[in-house]
Amino acid sequence: DPQYAWDLMPFGDVDGGPTKDLILQQQNDPQNKQYFQWSFGKRPAEELYDVNADPYQLNNLAFKPGFQDVRDELSKKLIQYLTETKDPRILGNPKIFEKATYFWSHGLETAGLPLYLWDELTEDQQRRKVDSVKWVLKNGFEK
């Protein structure tokens, strides 16, 4: 649940670190706000890049003149693949991805793991997992 991740910290579904901190601090700075948009902004429904001319994939060509045929062909291939693989988005259950268990859904007592994964660990693995999460919480970069 994205709201649950947000309640943990801003953009809680993105690992913390000095780069994330800097981007969040400078999100309204006119010279740097594009980095915030690239990192945390809403993505368009379709993206298409010329990775040879634009290796960092910053210039979305999907809606530029001359790319409609490419978009249509790729869209057709994607729908065909999603149908063949019985993807929930095609079968009418796209919300399954929005409600996927996030790391912290079960809290520190299971190191944030879903119970079905936690139960598969040995006691020693469970202890080490909780210890590592405690270390990250104590020494991490989140503010």
Side-chain angles (χ1 to χ4, degrees), residues 5-62:
W6 182 268
D7 290 344
L8 291 171
M9 65 198 80
F11 304 99
D13 55 342
V14 177
D15 291 342
T19 303
K20 177 183 175 183
D21 289 347
L22 183 64
I23 290 170
L24 291 176
Q25 289 166 6
Q26 296 183 353
Q27 65 183 291
N28 295 315
D29 178 342
Q31 291 181 321
N32 294 304
K33 66 182 180 179
Q34 185 62 44
Y35 295 105
F36 177 84
Q37 186 59 38
W38 285 330
S39 302
F40 302 110
K42 289 196 178 244
R43 309 300 304 180
E46 295 176 286
E47 295 180 86
L48 179 64
Y49 299 96
D50 179 343
V51 295
N52 292 319
D54 180 17
Y56 300 110
Q57 301 173 20
L58 301 175
N59 182 29
N60 185 6
L61 303 172

Side-chain angles (χ1 to χ4, degrees), residues 53-123:
D54 180 17
Y56 300 110
Q57 301 173 20
L58 301 175
N59 182 29
N60 185 6
L61 303 172
F63 300 99
K64 304 269 187 202
F67 289 94
Q68 180 68 43
D69 290 343
V70 175
R71 273 186 37 225
D72 290 347
E73 179 186 344
L74 292 174
S75 180
K76 182 180 174 182
K77 286 181 178 181
L78 176 63
I79 297 300
Q80 180 181 348
Y81 177 80
L82 295 175
T83 302
E84 289 171 2
T85 59
K86 297 179 175 39
D87 189 284
R89 290 165 283 212
I90 292 296
L91 299 177
N93 190 16
K95 299 268 183 201
I96 192 170
F97 295 106
E98 294 177 22
K99 297 297 179 187
T101 303
Y102 275 76
F103 178 77
W104 285 106
S105 296
H106 296 284
L108 186 58
E109 65 273 3
T110 64
L113 293 173
L115 296 176
Y116 73 92
L117 291 176
W118 180 256
D119 291 340
E120 291 180 9
L121 300 177
T122 66
E123 285 186 33

